[in-house]
Amino acid sequence: MPHTGKPSGGCQICKQRHVKCDETRPACLKCIKAKRICPGYIEGLDLVLRDQNQVAKAGSERRHKARAQKIYLNASSSASSSASSSRSESSTSLSSSTASPFSDDGLIVYSSLAESRDSYAHAFFVSAYVLGPRDTRTDHGFLELLPYLFDKLPSDPVLSSSLAVLCHCYFGAWNPSIRNAENLEVQQSYSKALSALRYALKNPRHCVTDELLMAVCLLNFFEVSHSNLLCCQTRSWSICIFAYTPYQYTTSALTSRPREDHHVDGATALVKQRGSKNMKSDLSRRLLIAVRHDIVRLPPVSYNVRILMGSQVNKALSRSKPVDDAPEIWVDPSEDMPYNPATSLDYIGRDTANILARAAEHGLPPDSYPSDNQIHTNILLEAEALDARYAQWAEEVPTEWLPFSVPRDSIPQEVLDAGVNNHHCHIYSHTSVCSTWNAWRVQRMRIFGLLADYQENELKDDAILHIQRLADDIHASIPYMLGNKVKPGAMHEMDYVYPSIPGHSVPASHYHTAAAYGGLNLWVPMRAILDYRRYMRADQILFTVDQFHRIMRLYDVRISQ
């Protein structure tokens, strides 16, 4: 760019010393006289076509420095002139709060730009729920895969907006100044995500990408998380606790949200459309496992809710449908699928959901059928076979997964005061392992509930005893997951007390994972206990209700009147 003004043709040393250079070549006389090495001269063409960006930058810095210096001097003089007045206290406060914009070496110190809430929300969610410590043998191929798609976020509006929904949901729930999982940012991001998703689904090329499948899984995870974080804010949740009927959404915002399994159906349809030929990569296969887990995580409503729900029976039975057994979903696209004990449990859960759906389809309870009814006999045999598979799963898990029983006298008093229903509590190697065990207990509890309804006398009593033992084991996991927490707090606080194996300290990572996942991962197991309350002891029901209220306090949610 052409310059403005006449540039100096002197050597660089003379320019730095601000002295006139005689421009003698090859070295100026001033440098020779001072016994310095003359650096030479800039060529004339380069001097004429010098870069004006550097000139403009230097001029801007000079003006900014002069302006900052003037503001600083004015503030200082104002503070000193008012020091002798009656308002000396306020002027002293002004002087102390007015900091010099210059560092000790004379350089300008620019004030940093404020971070947006989007940045804080993304950083919080990713650090707490994506990159946090975990046992990889409990992975279902979902959140841990997000880092592989971070480079796609700027160019993929569906994936970026879907992630933003989750980030703002959890950030709003944990932020003490917000404490609302349904804040404005969540609603705006959710609306953007749905709009971008509708547009992407119109393009067949987008429907076979991992980014779109991940986005749908994120939206489903948001639906489940949003349900857990907000269900206590509705009056109907009090009905769920005290009358044991499923809640309905009654909040004013997000009233147009789809049902809880809507995005699971969408993910299933995407997998079918892609087919096995488009599921060859490791990322695709692990996302397929995530979809399978989401399908099993929303099993059909058990047939026995007919006894509990009264007028709600038609609505409940409309959701009692078998799991989709399409080969595109359950037939492995390759032999090297990343299986682990948690993913193997999903296969047993699929068959459990199917048998419960069959029981609902045939209009139970079975009292109206003769004892030799073939349907009755087949369902009973299948239930017993599934129970044997659950028992085999428990025998084949890694040894370090087995819960360690801590007697009551070794549990800290602070934890006992917060709530312990048994004479012991269980310690696990990781919170994700504890959650996997509780998922196993819930699924097996459904099988024993089926057996208790189908059998009589000693066999029925034995099934009920197993249900109560599973409920006791779920209760025994609560101290490990919640410690002595009874009120809201920051996620990374280390002041809480957790039980530990005698002679061992609590791992530092447990304070983080228990805060992030502890209460949320207890919703489903505790709701399962209430679903089978007719087989529970009175102390089990009362303790479950009490712990529900405790979790409500931890997440600072209230029942609307």
Side-chain angles (χ1 to χ4, degrees):
M1 295 176 62
H3 67 88
T4 56
K6 182 180 179 181
S8 171
C11 70
Q12 293 300 314
I13 290 183
C14 291
K15 287 182 179 180
Q16 293 175 1
R17 297 179 62 207
H18 299 287
V19 297
K20 184 174 178 57
C21 180
D22 55 25
E23 300 184 21
T24 303
R25 298 180 182 271
C28 71
L29 298 178
K30 291 186 179 295
C31 289
I32 294 175
K33 184 177 179 179
K35 297 182 179 181
R36 297 187 182 96
I37 299 177
C38 183
Y41 308 93
I42 299 177
E43 295 297 331
L45 185 60
D46 294 336
L47 188 62
V48 172
L49 300 178
R50 59 180 174 170
D51 187 4
Q52 287 297 302
N53 290 335
Q54 298 296 328
V55 177
K57 181 180 178 181
S60 177
E61 291 180 351
R62 285 196 302 271
R63 290 191 297 273
H64 180 84
K65 182 176 180 180
R67 189 182 305 112
Q69 180 72 28
K70 182 178 180 180
I71 295 174
Y72 172 67
L73 293 177
N74 290 340
S76 300
S77 61
S78 174
S80 59
S81 62
S82 59
S84 58
S85 64
S86 59
R87 292 177 295 179
S88 59
E89 181 179 354
S90 62
S91 64
T92 303
S93 175
L94 173 64
S95 177
S96 61
S97 63
T98 306
S100 172
F102 304 98
S103 61
D104 296 337
D105 55 3
L107 298 177
I108 300 176
V109 180
Y110 294 95
S111 58
S112 60
L113 296 177
E115 293 285 348
S116 65
R117 183 175 291 184
D118 288 343
S119 300
Y120 283 121
H122 280 76
F124 170 80
F125 181 78
V126 171
S127 62
Y129 292 94
V130 178
L131 302 179
R134 69 183 191 278
D135 189 325
T136 57
R137 291 168 296 184
T138 62
D139 288 347
H140 290 282
F142 176 47
L143 287 180
E144 67 273 7
L145 303 180
L146 267 177
Y148 298 101
L149 296 174
F150 279 166
D151 61 328
K152 305 291 185 180
L153 290 175
S155 59
D156 195 308
V158 186
L159 183 61
S160 58
S161 55
S162 300
L163 178 59
V165 178
L166 266 179
C167 294
H168 285 295
C169 177
Y170 277 87
F171 182 71
W174 277 100
N175 191 338
S177 63
I178 303 177
R179 286 294 181 189
N180 183 10
E182 198 179 19
N183 53 74
L184 179 61
E185 286 82 2
V186 173
Q187 300 178 45
Q188 292 175 343
S189 300
Y190 190 77
S191 178
K192 292 179 182 179
L194 291 185
S195 298
L197 180 60
R198 294 190 190 101
Y199 181 80
L201 291 175
K202 296 178 182 179
N203 189 337
R205 295 176 58 186
H206 290 170
C207 294
V208 297
T209 61
D210 293 335
E211 292 83 356
L212 186 62
L213 186 57
M214 172 63 81
V216 175
C217 291
L218 287 172
L219 290 174
N220 174 68
F221 186 68
F222 163 71
E223 292 293 339
V224 176
S225 303
H226 189 270
S227 302
N228 291 337
L229 291 170
L230 278 189
C231 59
C232 299
Q233 294 180 331
T234 66
R235 185 178 180 181
S236 53
W237 176 242
S238 62
I239 301 175
C240 180
I241 292 179
F242 298 107
Y244 312 107
T245 60
Y247 62 86
Q248 297 176 353
Y249 290 105
T250 60
T251 50
S252 58
L254 290 180
T255 53
S256 61
R257 293 189 308 106
R259 68 184 188 275
E260 195 169 312
D261 59 345
H262 180 83
H263 294 295
V264 176
D265 294 341
T268 303
L270 286 176
V271 171
K272 290 181 179 180
Q273 182 174 352
R274 293 180 63 167
S276 58
K277 64 179 181 180
N278 292 313
M279 305 292 288
K280 297 296 186 180
S281 67
D282 181 66
L283 181 60
S284 299
R285 294 194 299 267
R286 296 175 72 177
L287 281 173
L288 175 60
I289 289 178
V291 174
R292 292 174 179 174
H293 177 65
D294 287 338
I295 293 174
V296 175
R297 185 168 56 182
L298 289 171
V301 177
S302 175
Y303 68 89
N304 53 42
V305 298
R306 178 176 181 177
I307 305 173
L308 312 178
M309 297 177 59
S311 61
Q312 296 289 332
V313 62
N314 292 331
K315 180 179 179 180
L317 293 180
S318 66
R319 291 184 58 194
S320 296
K321 56 183 181 181
V323 171
D324 194 334
D325 285 328
E328 295 88 351
I329 301 174
W330 295 102
V331 176
D332 296 340
S334 62
E335 297 180 356
D336 53 344
M337 292 290 287
Y339 284 125
N340 55 46
T343 56
S344 300
L345 185 61
D346 288 340
Y347 275 87
I348 313 178
R350 176 197 62 178
D351 297 336
T352 300
N354 286 336
I355 192 175
L356 292 176
R358 286 183 55 200
E361 179 184 0
H362 291 289
L364 299 177
D367 298 339
S368 58
Y369 295 97
S371 58
D372 59 347
N373 184 279
Q374 189 61 39
I375 298 177
H376 178 286
T377 303
N378 291 340
I379 291 179
L380 181 61
L381 292 176
E382 291 182 26
E384 292 175 345
L386 281 173
D387 179 57
R389 291 173 62 186
Y390 281 117
Q392 182 180 4
W393 182 93
E395 295 175 355
E396 295 177 352
V397 297
T399 305
E400 59 271 20
W401 274 32
L402 298 177
F404 185 90
S405 181
V406 177
R408 190 180 184 91
D409 55 3
S410 298
I411 301 175
Q413 186 60 42
E414 298 90 338
V415 178
L416 293 175
D417 296 338
V420 175
N421 193 42
N422 304 314
H423 297 291
H424 65 280
C425 74
H426 288 161
I427 306 297
Y428 299 84
S429 59
H430 196 272
T431 54
S432 59
V433 174
C434 177
S435 299
T436 303
W437 271 109
N438 280 341
W440 174 84
R441 291 168 184 136
V442 170
Q443 294 179 18
R444 198 178 189 192
M445 186 182 296
R446 296 183 185 279
I447 292 298
F448 279 119
L450 198 63
L451 293 174
D453 289 333
Y454 268 85
Q455 296 174 327
E456 298 177 350
N457 303 326
E458 293 83 1
L459 295 177
K460 183 182 183 72
D461 295 338
D462 183 68
I464 294 176
L465 182 60
H466 277 89
I467 293 175
Q468 294 176 353
R469 288 175 179 174
L470 291 171
D472 285 335
D473 288 341
I474 293 174
H475 287 166
S477 70
I478 294 178
Y480 173 78
M481 298 289 263
L482 300 182
N484 69 328
K485 291 182 180 180
V486 293
K487 60 182 181 180
M491 177 175 290
H492 299 284
E493 287 186 12
M494 302 288 287
D495 298 333
Y496 296 113
V497 179
Y498 292 93
S500 62
I501 300 175
H504 295 75
S505 59
V506 178
S509 61
H510 183 64
Y511 291 90
H512 167 79
T513 55
Y517 296 100
L520 296 179
N521 286 354
L522 288 172
W523 285 116
V524 172
M526 293 170 66
R527 286 166 62 179
I529 293 176
L530 297 183
D531 285 342
Y532 292 95
R533 79 200 188 287
R534 65 191 185 280
Y535 294 138
M536 300 296 172
R537 304 188 307 268
D539 65 289
Q540 291 176 321
I541 297 176
L542 293 176
F543 181 76
T544 302
V545 173
D546 180 68
Q547 294 305 303
F548 260 126
H549 284 285
R550 177 186 177 187
I551 296 177
M552 291 165 59
R553 292 191 298 269
L554 290 180
Y555 289 96
D556 197 25
V557 291
R558 301 172 180 85
I559 298 177
S560 301
Q561 300 297 328

